[in-house]
Amino acid sequence: MSKVGILMGSKSDFDVVKPAVAVLKKFGVEVEVRVISAHRTPDEAHAFAANAKANGMEVIICAAGKAAHLGGVIAALTTLPVIGLPVKTDMMGGLDSLLSIVQMPSGIPVATVGVNGGENAGLLALQILGIKYPEIEKQLVEYKENMKAKINADDTALQAML
Ligand code: RP5
């Protein structure tokens, strides 16, 4: 079974992480969800990244806010794909988190979704896994078909109102 690691820099990030957990579970993917901080628990961050492959992880999602270095640190220590999930902040609306995650130096990419984009982080992980697992790819096709049907229904309903 495929497995995704989901890390967050603080328990306060959990609400943003929940949609990623939900969509991954919905698709039948195992998740390991941890609070690990690049700054407050650097040894745990290092150990997680160093052992991620051996522990069956195939993609890692890293949620963090403010000086959001978690994704970059994890990406520096593994060749697994790392998805950065910037968390909205009170002071800068999450722009601080976004730039901290997305502006990585050449050589250490972190695939970054939008601020508070938990569901997209989960979906991007699924799309990566879908290359290897046909059952996930099949569910992604259905997901997109359902989304298309909903937008088309919304469009039809709107036309009827005008
Ligand atoms: C970051 O600092 C965390 O990812 C969190 O978004 C932010 C604030 O953490 P707390 O002060 O709420 O624990 O490391």
Side-chain angles (χ1 to χ4, degrees):
M1 192 204 232
S2 49
K3 189 164 159 188
V4 171
I6 305 182
L7 310 186
M8 66 203 92
S10 167
K11 196 180 166 209
S12 66
D13 300 325
F14 189 50
D15 280 347
V16 174
V17 165
K18 277 181 192 164
V21 175
V23 75
L24 285 160
K25 282 191 169 176
K26 191 171 144 196
F27 276 65
V29 170
E30 190 183 340
V31 291
E32 180 174 331
V33 185
R34 303 277 307 276
V35 179
I36 293 181
S37 166
H39 306 117
R40 293 163 173 164
T41 58
D43 292 341
E44 283 78 0
H46 195 294
F48 183 92
N51 298 316
K53 253 189 213 171
N55 287 335
M57 240 63 76
E58 294 181 291
V59 183
I60 304 172
I61 294 171
C62 293
K66 298 182 176 173
H69 296 143
L70 183 59
V73 165
I74 297 295
L77 295 164
T78 180
T79 55
L80 291 173
V82 174
I83 298 170
L85 170 52
V87 174
K88 190 172 178 185
T89 54
D90 290 338
M91 191 163 307
M92 296 185 199
L95 186 60
D96 43 355
S97 319
L98 173 66
L99 295 179
S100 298
I101 295 174
V102 79
Q103 289 286 47
M104 288 298 293
S106 295
I108 312 289
V110 173
T112 309
V113 297
V115 174
N116 281 6
E119 183 165 15
N120 269 0
L123 285 168
L124 185 53
L126 288 163
Q127 289 181 319
I128 293 168
L129 293 171
I131 296 167
K132 179 175 169 188
Y133 297 99
E135 66 275 18
I136 293 177
E137 160 69 5
K138 186 170 166 279
Q139 289 182 80
L140 284 165
V141 170
E142 283 167 14
Y143 176 92
K144 280 188 184 279
E145 284 301 321
N146 289 338
M147 195 165 46
K148 188 171 129 187
K150 187 194 172 303
I151 296 297
N152 283 337
D154 287 348
D155 181 52
T156 304
L158 183 69
Q159 302 315 311
M161 277 167 54
L162 299 174

